[in-house]
Amino acid sequence: MKQLDCIKDPDARVVFIRNTRPQLIAPGALVDESKTIYNHFNPRFRSDILQYAFPSGCTISFKAINSAADLPGFDGTQFTR
């Protein structure tokens, strides 16, 4: 719930990371549960990239990083608004 503190900040970028995409999208997992919370704040949700974009410009994304080998390419600038 801490991420709700920044949904009015146009520069805020929040990322939830799990090992696999199924861990993010399974029933009852992060993306499923997030809909009950974030939809009260009128975001656009892109299911193809698992990202909420709020009216302020803040984004909340869900990413899967399968191994430590994937970490060097993860620099936080790859997300699309």
Side-chain angles (χ1 to χ4, degrees):
M1 299 299 282
K2 183 68 176 163
Q3 69 280 5
L4 292 177
D5 291 344
C6 64
I7 64 171
K8 293 184 179 181
D9 180 349
D11 296 321
R13 303 292 177 263
V14 176
V15 181
F16 289 97
I17 298 171
R18 293 294 181 266
N19 287 336
T20 66
R21 186 175 174 92
Q23 288 177 320
L24 294 167
I25 63 172
L30 284 173
V31 173
D32 188 39
E33 291 297 313
S34 71
K35 292 174 184 175
T36 63
I37 298 167
Y38 299 150
N39 284 343
H40 295 286
F41 301 98
N42 302 315
R44 282 180 295 120
F45 181 70
R46 289 191 49 193
S47 59
D48 59 329
I49 60 172
L50 301 179
Q51 182 183 73
Y52 287 96
F54 291 85
S56 67
C58 168
T59 61
I60 297 179
S61 303
F62 301 86
K63 296 289 180 181
I65 296 181
N66 297 321
S67 70
D70 295 334
L71 291 174
F74 186 81
D75 64 6
T77 61
Q78 65 189 13
F79 305 118
T80 306
R81 284 188 186 191

